[in-house]
Amino acid sequence: MAEITAKLVKELREKSGAGVMDAKKALAETDGDIDKAVELLREKGMAKAAKKADRVAAEGLTGVYVSGNVAAVVEVNAETDFVAKNAQFVELVNETAKVIAEGKPASNEEALALIMPNGDTLEAAYVNATATIGEKISFRRFAVIEKTDEQHFGAYQHNGGRIGVISVIEGGDDAH
């Protein structure tokens, strides 16, 4: 049996986002094979996410992303407001808004097929987040707004990001 070193555990954690004990167990089960351990963690993550599928995710955040003449606002839900403040969750929300603005999907199904910066689909990113964070994380809805060069976006988040607004303004400039 291969020795499970701290270096190997650290490498697996960096690749998978799994906790120390989960990474150590996966390496032990796969005899130190990091690729098999990643796959095992992914399968366990999907199983964990499936167990949480019937839970209510009513807390959450909005993400707003504006780039040039395109803007997106997304709503992502979690089970508790505690998780909605988690750095990994906030990063997921912000990355989702950016990917949605760039991909301009027409439906949630199209949105879930978009590719995130790490190479996973949006859907896989949410399964992984549910497994890693330990709560049901769900992508609820989005809007993509496009404007002309003469128009300006006004983007605003209220109540700690629980409410997100994008407005299109005629006339004036970006500062007013």
Side-chain angles (χ1 to χ4, degrees):
M1 183 161 164
E3 183 187 350
I4 310 303
T5 64
K7 183 179 177 219
L8 201 56
V9 171
K10 182 181 180 209
E11 186 181 340
L12 179 57
R13 289 192 68 214
E14 287 169 357
K15 276 188 167 183
S16 67
V20 175
M21 292 312 293
D22 287 338
K24 203 170 183 177
K25 282 180 193 169
L27 285 165
E29 283 182 44
T30 60
D31 204 27
D33 184 319
I34 200 146
D35 293 328
K36 285 182 182 171
V38 167
E39 189 55 38
L40 180 66
L41 285 168
R42 181 166 285 142
E43 288 168 10
K44 283 184 176 182
M46 289 174 153
K48 271 187 188 175
K51 282 183 193 170
K52 293 172 176 37
D54 61 343
R55 292 189 186 175
V56 175
E59 296 294 329
L61 280 181
T62 60
V64 174
Y65 182 81
V66 177
S67 179
N69 287 344
V70 179
V73 60
V74 300
E75 179 183 346
V76 180
N77 296 127
E79 292 176 55
T80 64
D81 64 344
F82 177 76
V83 164
K85 295 176 180 116
N86 170 301
Q88 181 187 352
F89 182 81
V90 171
E91 183 181 354
L92 177 65
V93 171
N94 292 333
E95 282 182 350
T96 300
K98 183 175 192 280
V99 167
I100 295 282
E102 291 168 351
K104 301 179 196 165
S107 66
N108 269 25
E109 291 73 29
E110 283 183 26
L112 290 170
L114 293 173
I115 303 300
M116 296 294 277
N118 70 357
D120 283 343
T121 63
L122 189 65
E123 185 172 29
Y126 281 80
V127 168
N128 292 339
T130 295
T132 307
I133 294 172
E135 276 192 16
K136 179 181 178 182
I137 309 292
S138 61
F139 173 66
R140 176 139 188 259
R141 58 186 169 165
F142 71 94
V144 176
I145 300 100
E146 296 189 60
K147 68 170 188 68
T148 66
D149 288 338
E150 293 75 39
Q151 296 171 320
H152 304 278
F153 282 126
Y156 174 70
Q157 287 177 285
H158 180 68
N159 198 5
R162 290 174 60 103
I163 299 168
V165 178
I166 297 175
S167 57
V168 178
I169 300 156
E170 299 275 350
D173 57 41
D174 285 335
H176 294 93

